[in-house]
């Protein structure tokens, strides 16, 4: 029997033990502890109960706020004392344009490109607002600090703070600065259960307009305590970066084996 099957069996056994009580409310309570999804909410007539309806409306408002809240690069810079930073914008002139024209969010403003420092950098970290400035403000600086602390001997470029930016903007930044790798920390699209989720996208030798999503590795849902912790995210990201440098690639050819290793260790 595989390790995964063993773990699934243990989880099912544990869950069955939790829901042994006959009451349906006990069943749903046990299930809710296993997921952030909205399940077993019940109904009042043909609609949701008032409490759950209000919770849903509040979650929707939080998601909208996350998308439209302005990016504050000063917040990131202040959380990275002693770390040089550079501020850039995409060619999307405002938030509405950014949302309507994704292609403009992938291109670096020509004026800002001309002011980027150049060098023989091993990696450049790009902190981008994406679709949730809240996620970036709350989590990005810690992930940068935790990851760089694990990169002994690496030549790390100044951190680039990018406004109205999408993931592919990191390709343009790395290419302009002469960095071998780009790590884009970006606010992910808010859902109805998470408006503060941070994603990390790693790309080896990106080429603007040519590199595709298949050439990247992604860590998503970085948002402790309900998502990936800073320590695990940094450890996974740093390990991927080291392997990417050794193999000379990222994307579908680079596999994250950490989950399988953790599962094996938990069974020892």
């Amino acid at each position: 029997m595989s390790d995964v099957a063993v773990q699934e069996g243990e989880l099912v056994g544990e869950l069955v033990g939790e829901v042994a009580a006959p009451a349906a409310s006990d069943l749903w309570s046990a299930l809710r502890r296993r997921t952030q999804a909205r399940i077993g909410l019940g109904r009042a007539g043909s609609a949701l109960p008032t409490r759950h309806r209000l919770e849903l409306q509040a979650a929707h408002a939080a998601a909208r706020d996350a998308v439209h809240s302005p990016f504050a690069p000063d917040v990131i810079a202040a959380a990275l004392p002693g770390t040089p930073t550079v501020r850039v914008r995409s060619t999307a002139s405002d938030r509405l344009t950014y949302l309507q024209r994704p292609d403009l969010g992938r291109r670096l403003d020509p004026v800002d490109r001309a002011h980027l420092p150049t060098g023989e950098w091993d990696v450049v970290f790009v902190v981008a607002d994406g679709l949730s400035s809240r996620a970036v403000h709350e989590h990005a600086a810690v992930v940068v600090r935790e990851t760089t602390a694990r990169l002994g001997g690496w030549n790390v470029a100044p951190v680039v703070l990018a406004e109205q930016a999408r993931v592919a903007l990191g390709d343009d930044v790395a290419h302009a600065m002469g960095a071998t790798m780009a790590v884009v920390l970006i606010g992910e699209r808010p859902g109805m259960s998470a408006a503060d989720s941070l994603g990390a996208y790693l790309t080896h030798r990106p080429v603007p307009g040519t590199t595709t999503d298949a050439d990247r590795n992604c860590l998503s849902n970085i948002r402790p305590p309900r998502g990936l912790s800073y320590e695990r995210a940094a450890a996974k990201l740093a390990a991927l970066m080291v392997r990417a440098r050794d193999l000379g690639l990222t994307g579908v050819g680079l596999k994250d084996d950490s989950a399988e290793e953790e599962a094996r260790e938990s069974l020892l």
Side-chain angles (χ1 to χ4, degrees):
M1 182 181 296
S2 69
D3 294 346
V4 173
V6 170
Q7 288 186 318
E8 289 180 347
E10 293 175 348
L11 178 59
V12 170
E14 182 180 348
L15 187 56
V16 168
E18 290 185 21
V19 300
S25 60
D26 292 341
L27 169 63
W28 287 118
S29 296
L31 291 174
R32 289 193 197 100
R33 288 196 292 272
R34 296 290 180 176
T35 179
Q36 295 179 56
R38 289 177 170 81
I39 59 174
L41 302 183
R43 63 183 181 181
S46 60
L48 286 173
T50 301
R51 176 169 65 88
H52 295 305
R53 182 176 179 82
L54 292 175
E55 290 172 350
L56 193 64
Q57 290 176 338
H60 184 252
R64 288 177 60 89
D65 287 346
V67 170
H68 292 284
S69 294
F71 181 47
D74 288 341
V75 171
I76 310 299
L80 294 170
T83 301
T85 60
V86 183
R87 303 181 186 187
V88 300
R89 298 160 297 172
S90 73
T91 53
S93 58
D94 53 47
R95 199 60 174 170
L96 181 59
T97 303
Y98 171 82
L99 295 172
Q100 294 178 336
R101 291 286 306 275
D103 57 313
L104 297 181
R106 302 184 183 109
R107 304 174 193 168
L108 187 60
D109 179 88
V111 175
D112 291 344
R113 181 190 290 109
H115 291 93
L116 283 173
T118 59
E120 296 181 358
W121 316 106
D122 293 320
V123 62
V124 58
F125 286 86
V126 180
V127 177
D129 50 0
L131 290 170
S132 176
S133 293
R134 173 185 168 186
V136 176
H137 295 159
E138 293 183 5
H139 309 305
V142 184
V143 176
V144 171
R145 294 199 306 266
E146 292 282 345
T147 305
T148 53
R150 291 168 166 80
L151 299 175
W154 283 56
N155 190 15
V156 180
V159 175
V160 175
L161 309 178
E163 186 174 2
Q164 311 292 14
R166 296 189 182 265
V167 173
L169 188 81
D171 302 345
D172 211 347
V173 169
H175 191 263
M177 295 180 68
T180 303
M181 291 185 203
V183 174
V184 179
L185 302 176
I186 190 167
E188 297 182 308
R189 180 181 291 106
M192 298 303 285
S193 60
D196 63 337
S197 180
L198 184 76
Y201 292 80
L202 170 64
T203 314
H204 183 270
R205 296 197 182 280
V207 179
T210 300
T211 298
T212 69
D213 288 342
D215 301 312
R216 313 185 199 282
N217 290 87
C218 173
L219 298 178
S220 63
N221 198 35
I222 304 171
R223 55 181 196 97
R226 302 304 298 270
L228 194 62
S229 71
Y230 301 137
E231 294 77 13
R232 288 191 63 194
K236 286 174 175 282
L237 183 56
L240 283 170
M241 293 169 68
V242 171
R243 293 189 62 197
R245 183 169 64 174
D246 292 342
L247 297 175
L249 56 82
T250 49
V252 295
L254 178 62
K255 184 179 179 183
D256 176 16
D257 297 323
S258 58
E260 295 179 5
E261 293 174 0
E262 290 173 0
R264 285 194 295 269
E265 291 176 358
S266 67
L267 295 173
L268 295 178

